Each structure stands twice: as C-alpha cells, then as structure tokens.
Amino acid sequence: PKQRQKLGRLSGENILINGYLASPVNQRGKTTYQDTSGTGALCIDRWWITNHTRASLQDGYLYLQFPAETQGTYIFLQKIENFAAFRGKTLTFSMLFGNLTGSVNLQAQFQPDYSGQAYSASIAAPGLLSMTFTVPEDAQMLWVCLVATEIVPFYVKAVAAKLELGEEQTLARQEGASWTLLDPPPDPALELAKCQRYYQKKTIMGMWQPSS
C-alpha cells in the first residue's frame, strides 16, 4: 500500500518529446497528415506515421486512421534520440486512448533489421495500454511504436503517450470508468523549444534563411 501511495504522488519524466497528443506541437500547422507512399511520413512534431496511416487533429485529439492493409505493422512511432544512454535500462511505454475501433498493441524496436523487438498485450477498447521492457546492451536504435494487430480499417483517438524509466507507468490512473492523466499538460513553450532544436538556419547571400 505504501508503494502504491508513493506511485500515486510521483510521476516519472517523459522521455518522449511532444507526448501530449490532445494538444501537440504542430509547427507545420496542418490539420491532416497522410502517409501516401506507405514507407513513412512526418506527422506532428517528432512523430511519424507509416503504412498509409492518416492522422487528423480535431476536437482536441489526435485521430489515427489505419486502412485495411497488413496485420502487425507500425502506424505511429517516435524515434528516440540519444538512445545509447538507455542501453541496459528498464523503461515503460504507455499510451492513453479515448476511443478505439480496432485492436492495437505497443512495440519497442531495437535493431534496424527488426530482429530485436518487445511487445505489449493488445487492446481493443478505450483506456490505457502499457508495456515494460529492457533495452538490450547491443541496441542500435530505440523506436516506440503503436502497431495494428488486425487487418480491418479502424481509427484510434490518442490522448497522450509516455516513455519513462522504471517498471511502473505514471501516465494515467483509472477513476471509476474514466482515466485521468497524472501529469498536467506540459508547458507549450518548453515542448516547442525541444522540437525546434531540429530547426536550423543557413546563411544564403548574407541573409539568414530557414531550412528543414
């Protein structure tokens, strides 16, 4: 009981950038993103969509629509920078869904040839999905992904995502039939600053010009 009380008071730092999906950083200002090639496309800041997924910002949430294609494929992911610092460490990845019309699970990917993976159980109803894993010492990358687990068109209403050190999730707690985020919404200026570290400037003809 004391440990549960402690976990109720403390919240781990979110390793993910732009994990508050109800009001994310969206510097390009689009309301809809589509992976038209099927090989992956940038979505809201720091997140990727794949396999023809469509992402829409509406009604204060991020909606992910996945067509009937291939079972077990990534639809939404973030590539973790400085992943080497987490080799040998135990992490917990969680996502909170406001609605869900298909079945999904979470995945952590460690090797470019897809030989190293860790999976969560699947979920087919609104609520919290979480997985705990240890990053291998020989990890060559760290991606955390939302994965489609059945071959039917469906959509996901994503509220928030969190990757943190340790074996316990501190993203949300259940109160009756509803879920409440344990952390307040992040400071928008701080999240924007994290995202803008990848926005560079180049000098052209003596003038500063932005480049991606």
Side-chain angles (χ1 to χ4, degrees), residues 14 17-25 44 47 159-161 181 183-186 191:
N14 197 347
I17 298 175
N18 204 21
Y20 186 56
L21 304 176
S23 181
V25 177
I44 57 173
W47 290 94
V159 179
L181 293 175
D183 296 323
E191 289 301 293

Side-chain angles (χ1 to χ4, degrees), residues 97-112:
F97 305 105
N99 206 345
L100 187 62
T101 63
S103 179
V104 295
N105 67 10
L106 304 179
Q107 183 186 114
Q109 179 63 245
F110 311 116
Q111 303 294 345

Side-chain angles (χ1 to χ4, degrees), residues 26-211:
N26 183 31
Q27 293 183 80
R28 282 173 290 167
K30 295 182 180 180
T31 57
T32 301
Y33 297 91
Q34 177 84 50
D35 174 23
T36 57
S37 68
T39 59
L42 285 169
C43 182
I44 57 173
D45 288 49
R46 300 296 294 153
W47 290 94
W48 290 76
I49 48 176
T50 65
N51 294 293
H52 300 285
T53 298
R54 176 186 175 93
S56 303
L57 290 165
Q58 53 181 310
D59 303 325
Y61 293 96
L62 178 68
Y63 288 84
L64 301 169
Q65 294 173 282
F66 180 67
E69 293 212 356
T70 306
Q71 181 179 5
T73 55
Y74 303 160
I75 60 176
F76 187 61
L77 65 95
Q78 186 168 140
K79 304 173 183 180
I80 306 304
E81 62 177 19
N82 300 323
F83 69 89
F86 301 109
R87 288 177 178 150
K89 302 292 180 62
T90 297
L91 304 175
T92 297
F93 176 41
S94 308
M95 289 191 72
L96 181 63
F97 305 105
N99 206 345
L100 187 62
T101 63
S103 179
V104 295
N105 67 10
L106 304 179
Q107 183 186 114
Q109 179 63 245
F110 311 116
Q111 303 294 345
D113 63 358
Y114 307 107
S115 61
Q117 304 168 352
Y119 291 92
S120 73
S122 63
I123 187 175
L128 181 76
L129 184 57
S130 183
M131 66 176 292
T132 296
F133 60 93
T134 299
V135 181
E137 293 287 356
D138 64 347
Q140 298 301 305
M141 65 184 201
L142 175 54
W143 295 4
V144 289
C145 318
L146 179 65
V147 178
T149 57
E150 57 187 37
I151 311 175
V152 294
F154 66 90
Y155 79 91
V156 171
K157 179 181 176 182
V159 179
K162 190 171 189 177
L163 179 65
E164 56 191 312
L165 288 167
E167 299 180 354
E168 300 287 343
Q169 71 82 20
T170 63
L171 175 63
R173 68 172 180 268
Q174 191 169 17
E175 299 178 345
S178 62
W179 288 86
T180 300
L181 293 175
L182 294 176
D183 296 323
D187 181 345
L190 178 58
E191 289 301 293
L192 179 62
K194 292 178 184 178
C195 296
Q196 286 182 332
R197 289 185 298 122
Y198 301 92
Y199 186 78
Q200 301 176 0
K201 292 181 177 180
K202 294 182 179 179
T203 302
I204 301 176
M205 300 291 290
M207 299 178 63
W208 286 107
Q209 299 288 340
S211 67

